[in-house]
């Protein structure tokens, strides 16, 4: 009986053996993977930024049905995935908010997966947790937050904003019966994930107050104050101000210092969404008036919470955002849980655990992808790349204006908007056709937005692979098109 059981166990062990390849097999797999990855990277300059596609219907289905060898799998990936739609690794990606995907960061991801360290709880993975906490502390120092502040490394800016919001709700000890009285102050340019966060954390009944903006899409502190006074007079409860350090549409930075003053005066929580723009605080450039560009970020250090995306401004692969929060106690109270099966883990509180500060328990050891590039390169190359992006955007702004395009306000950071107004015909349709032409061509990718009911084309420069060559190519594509159409 016992022997039979053992026999059965051994049979199953053999059947599961492919899951544990030996070194020779692993090295052979590595070679195939490496060849593929290196060919992909070498081919990037000639690879499109956008591939038109019809439909993914019938593709990549039933992953379990028939097995393929690794080269076969990579061929399928190449044909059915990498040649479809946007290629975010391309320096030609100028749409939405690009990032790129640093190779050294990818190695961090690979090692995180191979070693599979547990980054959720200090007791289980003290090294992983300490490493991620040190990265959070570094981000806090960068943003001028005090040493007592903490936060969390998230999968991206959306979850970072959600954690900040949930913490603000906790800090106020708000009850559901009070939600409808709470007032949230933001502009119409705030990222849509903020609205999602409000809804997900249960506060859809709260009053969202859209504060007026100046002609550069920055929140008007005078109107903010006015709206708060109005709400107080009506018996509502001003709750939170959400500023942006770089909006997605136009890259505008709200007057953070003035917003912080209003927040302090009226005892509101002040949150800054710096998902796109936060790392530009590193840039040592001047703005168009000759003031240090850094001044735009003054007051960011006065925020109660802040969202920032290393998978944008530090060019890492998708999957790394961060939230920084000063009121660690409220963050903890909103997110911790003690389960019986985790009773061993409660002891060591020398370091805070991510599982007590976010919705996640088991989590990806996502900090390694940031730690490795920082250890390898230091901060200087990042700073240089960020400054390069700003100057490229200014260069583009001047060049496109020379071509007769209408432009939005001078770019605060590395996003700007522009449109061509033809003498005859519908301007919106003309610009939409231009974007369609660029996207169909595929060498570059741009996206558009609607501002004041008008169609505007955006350029967002943030990939570490976008250089003068790419911007000149984009200008050339537009020039050729205009020659034909005008
Ligand atoms: C990208 C972005 C977000 C959302 O971040 P994800 O990482 O995409 O979840 C939020 N706010 C701003 C300003 C952004 O640019």
């Amino acid at each position: 009986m016992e022997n039979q059981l053992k026999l059965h166990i051994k049979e199953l062990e053999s059947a599961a053996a492919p899951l544990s390849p030996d070194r020779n097999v692993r090295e052979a797999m590595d070679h195939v993977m490496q060849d593929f990855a290196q060919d992909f990277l070498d081919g990037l300059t000639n690879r499109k930024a956008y591939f038109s596609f019809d439909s993914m219907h019938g593709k990549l289905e039933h992953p379990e049905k028939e097995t393929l060898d690794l080269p076969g799998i990579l061929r399928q990936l190449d044909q059915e995935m990498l040649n479809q739609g946007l290629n975010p690794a391309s320096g030609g990606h100028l749409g939405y908010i690009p990032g790129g995907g640093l190779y050294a960061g990818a190695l961090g991801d690979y090692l995180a997966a191979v070693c599979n360290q547990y980054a959720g709880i200090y007791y289980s993975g003290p090294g992983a947790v300490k490493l991620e906490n040190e990265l959070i502390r570094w981000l806090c120092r960068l943003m001028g937050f005090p040493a007592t502040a903490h936060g969390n490394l998230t999968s991206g800016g959306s979850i970072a904003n959600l954690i900040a919001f949930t913490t603000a709700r906790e800090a106020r000890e708000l009850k559901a019966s009070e939600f409808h009285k709470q007032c949230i102050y933001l502009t119409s340019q705030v990222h849509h994930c903020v609205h999602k966060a409000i809804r997900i954390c249960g506060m859809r009944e709260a009053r969202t107050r859209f504060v007026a903006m100046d002609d550069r899409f920055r929140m008007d502190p005078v109107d903010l104050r006015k709206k708060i006074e109005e709400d107080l007079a009506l018996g509502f409860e001003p709750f939170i101000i959400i500023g942006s350090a770089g909006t997605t549409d136009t890259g505008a930075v709200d007057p953070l210092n003035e917003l912080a003053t209003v927040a302090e005066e009226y005892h509101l929580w002040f949150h800054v969404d710096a998902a796109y723009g936060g790392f530009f605080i590193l840039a040592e450039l001047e703005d168009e008036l000759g003031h240090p560009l850094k001044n735009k970020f003054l007051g960011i250090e006065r925020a109660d919470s802040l969202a920032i995306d290393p998978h944008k401004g530090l060019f890492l692969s998708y999957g790394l955002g961060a939230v920084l929060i000063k009121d660690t106690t409220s963050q903890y109270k909103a997110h911790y849980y003690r389960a019986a099966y985790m009773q061993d883990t409660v002891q060591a509180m020398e370091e805070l655990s991510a599982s007590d500060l976010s919705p996640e328990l088991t989590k990806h050891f996502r900090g390694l992808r940031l730690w490795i590039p920082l250890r390898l390169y230091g901060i200087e190359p990042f700073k240089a790349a960020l400054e390069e992006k700003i100057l490229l955007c200014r260069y583009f702004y001047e060049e496109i204006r020379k071509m007769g395009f209408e432009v939005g306000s001078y770019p605060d950071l590395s996003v700007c908007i522009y449109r061509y107004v033809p003498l005859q015909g519908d301007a919106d349709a003309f610009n939409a056709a231009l974007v369609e032409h660029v996207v169909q061509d595929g060498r570059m990718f741009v996206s558009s937005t609607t501002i004041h009911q008008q169609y505007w084309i955006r350029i967002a420069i943030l990939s570490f692979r976008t250089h003068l060559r790419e911007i000149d190519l984009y200008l050339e594509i537009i020039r050729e098109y205009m020659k034909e159409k005008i």
Side-chain angles (χ1 to χ4, degrees), residues 61-287:
E61 289 174 357
H62 302 295
E64 81 295 359
K65 267 208 175 142
E66 54 167 330
T67 62
L68 278 173
D69 60 4
L70 193 52
I73 292 168
L74 296 181
R75 255 196 314 279
Q76 191 186 8
L77 274 187
D78 191 38
Q79 287 160 8
E80 298 184 14
M81 199 182 70
L82 300 183
N83 292 331
Q84 312 272 355
L86 181 60
N87 171 12
S90 167
H93 174 22
L94 309 172
Y96 317 120
I97 303 284
L102 292 183
Y103 187 67
L107 295 183
D109 254 10
Y110 173 75
L111 292 174
V114 167
C115 307
N116 206 21
Q117 281 284 298
Y118 199 89
I121 298 180
Y122 185 61
Y123 172 80
S124 317
V129 170
K130 181 71 171 28
L131 184 151
E132 294 204 335
N133 285 352
E134 287 305 323
L135 288 169
I136 293 167
R137 289 178 190 121
W138 170 67
L139 290 169
C140 284
R141 287 194 295 276
L142 200 63
M143 296 295 139
F145 272 39
T148 48
H150 202 66
N152 183 245
L153 294 185
T154 64
S155 57
S158 300
I159 303 299
N161 278 301
L162 175 63
I163 292 175
F165 227 86
T166 311
T167 301
R169 189 193 65 192
E170 186 73 28
R172 279 260 169 140
E173 298 180 351
L174 290 176
K175 296 190 194 67
S177 60
E178 299 163 321
F179 287 176
H180 68 284
K181 282 197 257 163
Q182 305 305 309
C183 304
I184 298 166
Y185 303 89
L186 38 70
T187 73
S188 58
Q189 288 289 309
V190 88
H191 193 276
H192 74 268
C193 77
V194 165
H195 297 288
K196 269 169 76 170
I198 293 168
R199 205 173 67 221
I200 295 169
C201 83
M203 293 189 65
R204 71 161 80 218
E205 295 158 279
R207 285 161 57 87
T208 305
R209 303 283 272 144
F210 289 96
V211 180
M213 294 175 286
D214 67 10
D215 58 353
R216 297 180 67 163
F217 305 105
R218 299 179 293 206
M219 191 186 286
D220 173 8
V222 175
D223 188 54
L224 171 63
R225 203 179 280 273
K226 183 166 149 265
K227 286 207 159 55
I228 292 175
E229 290 286 354
E230 280 169 14
D231 289 332
L232 284 171
L234 290 168
F236 291 108
E237 293 171 11
F239 164 45
I240 186 170
I241 301 170
I242 299 167
S244 301
T247 58
T248 312
D249 256 359
T250 70
V253 182
D254 285 329
L256 304 174
N257 215 20
E258 292 171 73
L259 304 191
T261 299
V262 177
E264 264 167 33
E265 196 178 318
Y266 292 94
H267 307 291
L268 273 74
W269 186 280
F270 180 36
H271 175 68
V272 174
D273 182 359
Y276 151 63
F279 288 107
F280 284 110
I281 204 170
L282 286 165
E284 299 196 33
L285 295 171
E286 292 182 348
D287 68 11

Side-chain angles (χ1 to χ4, degrees), residues 16-31:
L19 301 182
S20 310
D22 65 21
R23 185 173 182 128
N24 287 336
V25 176
R26 293 198 307 269
E27 284 183 349
M29 291 169 100
D30 280 353
H31 282 303

